[in-house]
Amino acid sequence: MSPRLEGLLLPSIADVSVLSLDVSHEAVRIDLCSTAAGAACPDCGSESTRVHSSYLRFPADVPSGGRRVLLRLRVRRFFCPESSCARRTFAEQLPGLTRRHSRWTERLRSILAAVGLALAGRAGARMARAFGVPISRSAVLRLLEALPEPDVPAPRVVGVDEYATRKGRVYGTVLVDVESRRPVDLLPDRKASSLAAWLAKRPGIEIVCRDRAPFFAEGATTGAPQATQVADRWHLWHNLGEAAERAVTRHRQCLRVLLPDPEGKADEPAPPEEKAVDPTRLPHRLHLRRAFGPTGLYEDHSPCTRHGKRARTFQRFWLAICDTCTVGDLRRETRATEWVSGAVVGHHVGRSAP
């Protein structure tokens, strides 16, 4: 074959000669052989030109024009010249074309790895079969596992948070490069010692963005004493929202005083020695009774089941609309509050409203 055809079929691969080319409706078959004088032993690195035997390999290459490309490669086996080497014979490998125990060429292998990185196992296998390379999802995942770990530069600003492998039971630590917004590493637990050991290996960290957990604070202080510790934005807003909700719940009696009277006259407060009955509580009780229904909290008629809410959510709504009621009022022995307590608090144990 001409050197022009060899450069077209196998670019950037040296010491390879194309012997023949067969094109059919289904596949393109190319016969190849190596033109190198010898090969190096993979164990000791000694060059050898003494041929032991030869055999054929059939690696698959990148499809061309909708056809599969199959290589028929003649590979030689050499004797190792070093008597002290444990390997007596070895097979030659063509750089950029083959590797040991591989059924694909290097360029097809890199394409399949790129597909696996983009689509993972099952979807990657379907995409590979679409352009004519039959492969299983397990083989795609093995290609991904064989890829070398990328060299990730040490982050300057690192974010620390927890993640759950089993929610409520098993937690780990995730570390994120805040500037590039990409995860850097995963720790199997959320202990302060694990975080401190990870930070100590990276002295270039300047800022640690974390939540307010005490073990993260201890680990960041021990492992990166030179870094500035800040709270991340999500936890700041989350903690602020919880504090505002607690403050509003604690001072909900003041909200009714601030509301203007529709007739321009403020109601006179009841004497402290007498506990006045708020007439507005009756409509609330009737509204709740209509909302919960006379059937109580059976599974098919539970308002929590109908609306997809938990009992704690209904309890919070009840406390918000009732300006004089507290959590303790929901558990008192009066008829109305006992009904609300049974409906809102005790529905998980199968109790129905009286």
Side-chain angles (χ1 to χ4, degrees), residues 257-289:
V257 179
L258 297 177
L259 291 176
D261 187 37
E263 298 181 358
K265 298 180 180 180
D267 296 336
E268 296 182 359
E273 63 274 7
E274 298 180 359
K275 186 167 183 180
V277 179
D278 189 356
T280 60
R281 296 185 63 182
L282 181 59
H284 292 319
R285 293 202 305 270
L286 295 177
H287 173 71
L288 285 177
R289 184 177 289 275

Side-chain angles (χ1 to χ4, degrees), residues 172-319:
T173 303
V174 57
L175 299 116
V176 180
D177 188 349
V178 177
E179 294 180 325
S180 63
R181 299 185 178 183
R182 300 180 67 89
V184 177
D185 203 351
L186 295 175
L187 303 182
D189 52 44
R190 51 180 180 178
K191 297 179 180 179
S193 57
S194 302
L195 178 60
W198 190 89
L199 293 175
K201 297 178 182 179
R202 296 159 180 84
I205 295 177
E206 301 178 6
I207 301 175
V208 176
C209 183
R210 59 172 181 83
D211 65 3
R212 301 174 62 184
F215 40 84
F216 287 154
E218 180 183 353
T221 304
T222 305
Q226 79 285 353
T228 303
Q229 300 184 33
V230 298
D232 60 89
R233 181 172 54 185
W234 186 88
H235 283 94
L236 284 177
W237 282 108
H238 182 68
N239 296 336
L240 179 60
E242 289 182 343
E245 183 178 359
R246 288 194 300 266
V248 170
T249 304
R250 190 181 305 113
H251 300 89
R252 62 184 179 275
Q253 293 85 357
C254 305
L255 297 178
R256 183 170 180 81
V257 179
L258 297 177
L259 291 176
D261 187 37
E263 298 181 358
K265 298 180 180 180
D267 296 336
E268 296 182 359
E273 63 274 7
E274 298 180 359
K275 186 167 183 180
V277 179
D278 189 356
T280 60
R281 296 185 63 182
L282 181 59
H284 292 319
R285 293 202 305 270
L286 295 177
H287 173 71
L288 285 177
R289 184 177 289 275
R290 287 194 299 269
F292 280 86
T295 56
L297 283 169
Y298 295 106
E299 182 178 359
D300 296 337
H301 304 283
S302 171
C304 302
T305 305
R306 291 199 307 267
H307 301 290
K309 303 293 185 182
R310 299 187 304 169
R312 190 178 298 275
T313 305
F314 279 90
Q315 183 181 10
R316 189 166 66 248
F317 288 164
W318 164 256
L319 295 176

